[in-house]
mmCIF file of all heavy atoms in Angstrom:
data_model
loop_
_atom_site.group_PDB
_atom_site.id
_atom_site.type_symbol
_atom_site.label_atom_id
_atom_site.label_comp_id
_atom_site.label_asym_id
_atom_site.label_seq_id
_atom_site.Cartn_x
_atom_site.Cartn_y
_atom_site.Cartn_z
ATOM 1 N N THR T 93 -6.368 15.138 -4.046
ATOM 2 C CA THR T 93 -6.897 14.081 -4.921
ATOM 3 C C THR T 93 -6.223 14.119 -6.289
ATOM 4 O O THR T 93 -5.927 13.073 -6.876
ATOM 5 C CB THR T 93 -8.412 14.238 -5.097
ATOM 6 O OG1 THR T 93 -8.713 15.598 -5.441
ATOM 7 C CG2 THR T 93 -9.156 13.891 -3.823
ATOM 8 N N ASP T 94 -5.964 15.326 -6.792
ATOM 9 C CA ASP T 94 -5.279 15.460 -8.088
ATOM 10 C C ASP T 94 -3.840 14.957 -7.997
ATOM 11 O O ASP T 94 -3.339 14.312 -8.929
ATOM 12 C CB ASP T 94 -5.289 16.922 -8.549
ATOM 13 C CG ASP T 94 -6.661 17.374 -9.034
ATOM 14 O OD1 ASP T 94 -7.547 16.504 -9.183
ATOM 15 O OD2 ASP T 94 -6.859 18.583 -9.252
ATOM 16 N N LEU T 95 -3.172 15.269 -6.890
ATOM 17 C CA LEU T 95 -1.788 14.808 -6.728
ATOM 18 C C LEU T 95 -1.732 13.290 -6.594
ATOM 19 O O LEU T 95 -0.824 12.644 -7.129
ATOM 20 C CB LEU T 95 -1.153 15.470 -5.500
ATOM 21 C CG LEU T 95 -0.878 16.970 -5.599
ATOM 22 C CD1 LEU T 95 -0.196 17.478 -4.344
ATOM 23 C CD2 LEU T 95 -0.032 17.306 -6.824
ATOM 24 N N PHE T 96 -2.697 12.721 -5.880
ATOM 25 C CA PHE T 96 -2.757 11.262 -5.768
ATOM 26 C C PHE T 96 -2.912 10.613 -7.140
ATOM 27 O O PHE T 96 -2.215 9.659 -7.485
ATOM 28 C CB PHE T 96 -3.922 10.847 -4.869
ATOM 29 C CG PHE T 96 -3.624 10.902 -3.392
ATOM 30 C CD1 PHE T 96 -2.404 11.381 -2.926
ATOM 31 C CD2 PHE T 96 -4.554 10.486 -2.464
ATOM 32 C CE1 PHE T 96 -2.124 11.440 -1.570
ATOM 33 C CE2 PHE T 96 -4.283 10.527 -1.100
ATOM 34 C CZ PHE T 96 -3.069 11.010 -0.659
ATOM 35 N N ALA T 97 -3.849 11.147 -7.920
ATOM 36 C CA ALA T 97 -4.083 10.596 -9.259
ATOM 37 C C ALA T 97 -2.845 10.775 -10.147
ATOM 38 O O ALA T 97 -2.473 9.873 -10.905
ATOM 39 C CB ALA T 97 -5.291 11.278 -9.900
ATOM 40 N N ALA T 98 -2.197 11.936 -10.013
ATOM 41 C CA ALA T 98 -1.033 12.224 -10.855
ATOM 42 C C ALA T 98 0.156 11.336 -10.525
ATOM 43 O O ALA T 98 0.992 11.061 -11.398
ATOM 44 C CB ALA T 98 -0.637 13.694 -10.688
ATOM 45 N N ALA T 99 0.255 10.870 -9.288
ATOM 46 C CA ALA T 99 1.428 10.092 -8.861
ATOM 47 C C ALA T 99 1.343 8.621 -9.231
ATOM 48 O O ALA T 99 2.357 7.916 -9.194
ATOM 49 C CB ALA T 99 1.608 10.235 -7.349
ATOM 50 N N ILE T 100 0.163 8.138 -9.603
ATOM 51 C CA ILE T 100 -0.005 6.693 -9.834
ATOM 52 C C ILE T 100 0.839 6.215 -11.017
ATOM 53 O O ILE T 100 1.627 5.263 -10.892
ATOM 54 C CB ILE T 100 -1.496 6.362 -10.057
ATOM 55 C CG1 ILE T 100 -2.270 6.541 -8.751
ATOM 56 C CG2 ILE T 100 -1.652 4.918 -10.552
ATOM 57 C CD1 ILE T 100 -3.767 6.386 -8.894
ATOM 58 N N LEU T 101 0.687 6.846 -12.178
ATOM 59 C CA LEU T 101 1.425 6.392 -13.369
ATOM 60 C C LEU T 101 2.939 6.551 -13.218
ATOM 61 O O LEU T 101 3.688 5.624 -13.553
ATOM 62 C CB LEU T 101 0.920 7.115 -14.614
ATOM 63 C CG LEU T 101 -0.477 6.709 -15.117
ATOM 64 C CD1 LEU T 101 -0.830 7.461 -16.396
ATOM 65 C CD2 LEU T 101 -0.554 5.198 -15.362
ATOM 66 N N PRO T 102 3.440 7.705 -12.712
ATOM 67 C CA PRO T 102 4.896 7.791 -12.499
ATOM 68 C C PRO T 102 5.414 6.729 -11.533
ATOM 69 O O PRO T 102 6.483 6.153 -11.747
ATOM 70 C CB PRO T 102 5.079 9.199 -11.908
ATOM 71 C CG PRO T 102 3.933 9.979 -12.454
ATOM 72 C CD PRO T 102 2.787 9.014 -12.499
ATOM 73 N N GLY T 103 4.643 6.436 -10.461
ATOM 74 C CA GLY T 103 5.063 5.415 -9.511
ATOM 75 C C GLY T 103 5.145 4.037 -10.147
ATOM 76 O O GLY T 103 6.119 3.301 -9.957
ATOM 77 N N LEU T 104 4.108 3.693 -10.923
ATOM 78 C CA LEU T 104 4.101 2.394 -11.612
ATOM 79 C C LEU T 104 5.186 2.335 -12.683
ATOM 80 O O LEU T 104 5.788 1.282 -12.909
ATOM 81 C CB LEU T 104 2.723 2.147 -12.226
ATOM 82 C CG LEU T 104 1.567 1.957 -11.226
ATOM 83 C CD1 LEU T 104 0.248 1.787 -11.976
ATOM 84 C CD2 LEU T 104 1.827 0.766 -10.315
ATOM 85 N N MET T 105 5.437 3.469 -13.344
ATOM 86 C CA MET T 105 6.488 3.514 -14.360
ATOM 87 C C MET T 105 7.857 3.220 -13.742
ATOM 88 O O MET T 105 8.650 2.439 -14.283
ATOM 89 C CB MET T 105 6.510 4.891 -15.030
ATOM 90 C CG MET T 105 7.634 5.061 -16.059
ATOM 91 S SD MET T 105 7.780 6.764 -16.666
ATOM 92 C CE MET T 105 8.433 7.604 -15.227
ATOM 93 N N LEU T 106 8.125 3.818 -12.585
ATOM 94 C CA LEU T 106 9.405 3.586 -11.916
ATOM 95 C C LEU T 106 9.525 2.130 -11.456
ATOM 96 O O LEU T 106 10.586 1.507 -11.604
ATOM 97 C CB LEU T 106 9.556 4.536 -10.727
ATOM 98 C CG LEU T 106 9.771 6.009 -11.097
ATOM 99 C CD1 LEU T 106 9.661 6.893 -9.863
ATOM 100 C CD2 LEU T 106 11.126 6.212 -11.764
ATOM 101 N N ALA T 107 8.430 1.586 -10.904
ATOM 102 C CA ALA T 107 8.446 0.172 -10.491
ATOM 103 C C ALA T 107 8.707 -0.730 -11.694
ATOM 104 O O ALA T 107 9.461 -1.709 -11.606
ATOM 105 C CB ALA T 107 7.118 -0.186 -9.826
ATOM 106 N N PHE T 108 8.106 -0.398 -12.846
ATOM 107 C CA PHE T 108 8.312 -1.165 -14.078
ATOM 108 C C PHE T 108 9.776 -1.076 -14.534
ATOM 109 O O PHE T 108 10.364 -2.078 -14.978
ATOM 110 C CB PHE T 108 7.379 -0.644 -15.172
ATOM 111 C CG PHE T 108 7.581 -1.303 -16.515
ATOM 112 C CD1 PHE T 108 7.096 -2.582 -16.744
ATOM 113 C CD2 PHE T 108 8.258 -0.647 -17.534
ATOM 114 C CE1 PHE T 108 7.296 -3.203 -17.978
ATOM 115 C CE2 PHE T 108 8.458 -1.250 -18.764
ATOM 116 C CZ PHE T 108 7.972 -2.534 -18.990
ATOM 117 N N LEU T 109 10.376 0.114 -14.403
ATOM 118 C CA LEU T 109 11.785 0.280 -14.768
ATOM 119 C C LEU T 109 12.679 -0.593 -13.878
ATOM 120 O O LEU T 109 13.621 -1.232 -14.359
ATOM 121 C CB LEU T 109 12.200 1.751 -14.639
ATOM 122 C CG LEU T 109 11.724 2.712 -15.732
ATOM 123 C CD1 LEU T 109 12.103 4.144 -15.377
ATOM 124 C CD2 LEU T 109 12.323 2.342 -17.085
ATOM 125 N N TYR T 110 12.376 -0.639 -12.571
ATOM 126 C CA TYR T 110 13.164 -1.475 -11.659
ATOM 127 C C TYR T 110 13.076 -2.947 -12.058
ATOM 128 O O TYR T 110 14.091 -3.650 -12.137
ATOM 129 C CB TYR T 110 12.653 -1.345 -10.214
ATOM 130 C CG TYR T 110 12.664 0.036 -9.617
ATOM 131 C CD1 TYR T 110 11.877 0.324 -8.496
ATOM 132 C CD2 TYR T 110 13.451 1.054 -10.141
ATOM 133 C CE1 TYR T 110 11.875 1.582 -7.925
ATOM 134 C CE2 TYR T 110 13.448 2.316 -9.578
ATOM 135 C CZ TYR T 110 12.650 2.575 -8.465
ATOM 136 O OH TYR T 110 12.639 3.819 -7.902
ATOM 137 N N VAL T 111 11.847 -3.404 -12.289
ATOM 138 C CA VAL T 111 11.617 -4.817 -12.623
ATOM 139 C C VAL T 111 12.297 -5.170 -13.944
ATOM 140 O O VAL T 111 12.987 -6.194 -14.063
ATOM 141 C CB VAL T 111 10.105 -5.120 -12.685
ATOM 142 C CG1 VAL T 111 9.865 -6.494 -13.308
ATOM 143 C CG2 VAL T 111 9.487 -5.070 -11.294
ATOM 144 N N THR T 112 12.108 -4.322 -14.941
ATOM 145 C CA THR T 112 12.692 -4.578 -16.260
ATOM 146 C C THR T 112 14.215 -4.656 -16.182
ATOM 147 O O THR T 112 14.849 -5.565 -16.729
ATOM 148 C CB THR T 112 12.269 -3.484 -17.261
ATOM 149 O OG1 THR T 112 10.843 -3.420 -17.329
ATOM 150 C CG2 THR T 112 12.826 -3.771 -18.648
ATOM 151 N N TYR T 113 14.808 -3.693 -15.476
ATOM 152 C CA TYR T 113 16.262 -3.641 -15.357
ATOM 153 C C TYR T 113 16.810 -4.906 -14.690
ATOM 154 O O TYR T 113 17.759 -5.533 -15.187
ATOM 155 C CB TYR T 113 16.665 -2.401 -14.559
ATOM 156 C CG TYR T 113 18.154 -2.308 -14.276
ATOM 157 C CD1 TYR T 113 19.055 -1.999 -15.290
ATOM 158 C CD2 TYR T 113 18.651 -2.524 -12.987
ATOM 159 C CE1 TYR T 113 20.416 -1.907 -15.036
ATOM 160 C CE2 TYR T 113 20.008 -2.441 -12.724
ATOM 161 C CZ TYR T 113 20.878 -2.136 -13.750
ATOM 162 O OH TYR T 113 22.227 -2.055 -13.497
ATOM 163 N N THR T 114 16.209 -5.292 -13.560
ATOM 164 C CA THR T 114 16.716 -6.462 -12.826
ATOM 165 C C THR T 114 16.505 -7.759 -13.602
ATOM 166 O O THR T 114 17.404 -8.610 -13.656
ATOM 167 C CB THR T 114 16.048 -6.564 -11.443
ATOM 168 O OG1 THR T 114 14.624 -6.491 -11.580
ATOM 169 C CG2 THR T 114 16.505 -5.440 -10.530
ATOM 170 N N LEU T 115 15.330 -7.915 -14.227
ATOM 171 C CA LEU T 115 15.053 -9.166 -14.945
ATOM 172 C C LEU T 115 15.902 -9.283 -16.207
ATOM 173 O O LEU T 115 16.354 -10.383 -16.555
ATOM 174 C CB LEU T 115 13.565 -9.263 -15.295
ATOM 175 C CG LEU T 115 12.602 -9.438 -14.106
ATOM 176 C CD1 LEU T 115 11.184 -9.678 -14.595
ATOM 177 C CD2 LEU T 115 13.050 -10.594 -13.205
ATOM 178 N N VAL T 116 16.139 -8.163 -16.894
ATOM 179 C CA VAL T 116 16.992 -8.196 -18.090
ATOM 180 C C VAL T 116 18.423 -8.567 -17.700
ATOM 181 O O VAL T 116 19.072 -9.387 -18.360
ATOM 182 C CB VAL T 116 16.951 -6.842 -18.836
ATOM 183 C CG1 VAL T 116 18.074 -6.762 -19.875
ATOM 184 C CG2 VAL T 116 15.612 -6.651 -19.515
ATOM 185 N N ARG T 117 18.898 -7.983 -16.609
ATOM 186 C CA ARG T 117 20.264 -8.316 -16.168
ATOM 187 C C ARG T 117 20.373 -9.782 -15.743
ATOM 188 O O ARG T 117 21.388 -10.432 -15.988
ATOM 189 C CB ARG T 117 20.668 -7.400 -15.005
ATOM 190 C CG ARG T 117 20.953 -5.962 -15.451
ATOM 191 C CD ARG T 117 21.893 -5.267 -14.495
ATOM 192 N NE ARG T 117 23.187 -5.931 -14.440
ATOM 193 C CZ ARG T 117 24.108 -5.649 -13.507
ATOM 194 N NH1 ARG T 117 23.864 -4.734 -12.583
ATOM 195 N NH2 ARG T 117 25.264 -6.273 -13.512
ATOM 196 N N CYS T 118 19.319 -10.305 -15.112
ATOM 197 C CA CYS T 118 19.331 -11.727 -14.722
ATOM 198 C C CYS T 118 19.202 -12.649 -15.937
ATOM 199 O O CYS T 118 19.720 -13.766 -15.929
ATOM 200 C CB CYS T 118 18.200 -12.018 -13.739
ATOM 201 S SG CYS T 118 18.462 -11.295 -12.116
ATOM 202 N N TRP T 119 18.526 -12.171 -16.964
ATOM 203 C CA TRP T 119 18.414 -12.948 -18.208
ATOM 204 C C TRP T 119 19.782 -13.014 -18.904
ATOM 205 O O TRP T 119 20.187 -14.056 -19.421
ATOM 206 C CB TRP T 119 17.368 -12.306 -19.108
ATOM 207 C CG TRP T 119 17.231 -12.980 -20.445
ATOM 208 C CD1 TRP T 119 16.765 -14.237 -20.693
ATOM 209 C CD2 TRP T 119 17.588 -12.427 -21.720
ATOM 210 N NE1 TRP T 119 16.789 -14.504 -22.042
ATOM 211 C CE2 TRP T 119 17.290 -13.404 -22.701
ATOM 212 C CE3 TRP T 119 18.097 -11.202 -22.138
ATOM 213 C CZ2 TRP T 119 17.504 -13.198 -24.051
ATOM 214 C CZ3 TRP T 119 18.313 -10.985 -23.487
ATOM 215 C CH2 TRP T 119 18.019 -11.971 -24.431
ATOM 216 N N LEU T 120 20.521 -11.890 -18.887
ATOM 217 C CA LEU T 120 21.847 -11.849 -19.500
ATOM 218 C C LEU T 120 22.873 -12.592 -18.652
ATOM 219 O O LEU T 120 23.817 -13.197 -19.165
ATOM 220 C CB LEU T 120 22.288 -10.391 -19.693
ATOM 221 C CG LEU T 120 21.463 -9.559 -20.686
ATOM 222 C CD1 LEU T 120 21.897 -8.099 -20.652
ATOM 223 C CD2 LEU T 120 21.599 -10.117 -22.098
ATOM 224 N N ASN T 121 22.690 -12.535 -17.328
ATOM 225 C CA ASN T 121 23.638 -13.177 -16.411
ATOM 226 C C ASN T 121 22.861 -13.811 -15.255
ATOM 227 O O ASN T 121 22.656 -13.191 -14.211
ATOM 228 C CB ASN T 121 24.635 -12.138 -15.876
ATOM 229 C CG ASN T 121 25.688 -12.760 -14.965
ATOM 230 O OD1 ASN T 121 25.729 -13.979 -14.789
ATOM 231 N ND2 ASN T 121 26.530 -11.919 -14.381
#
């Protein structure tokens, strides 16, 4: 249960990094 709780924010952070990177690149090009 602790590992599940601990993995939520890192997982969402990585998903946010993917989205930000792709959308910024599409905004520039």
Side-chain angles (χ1 to χ4, degrees):
T93 49
D94 287 350
L95 291 183
F96 278 4
I100 290 174
L101 288 182
L104 293 177
M105 177 188 71
L106 290 170
F108 176 76
L109 285 174
Y110 301 161
V111 168
T112 303
Y113 175 72
T114 51
L115 292 186
V116 167
R117 287 205 62 192
C118 289
W119 177 67
L120 295 173
N121 183 4

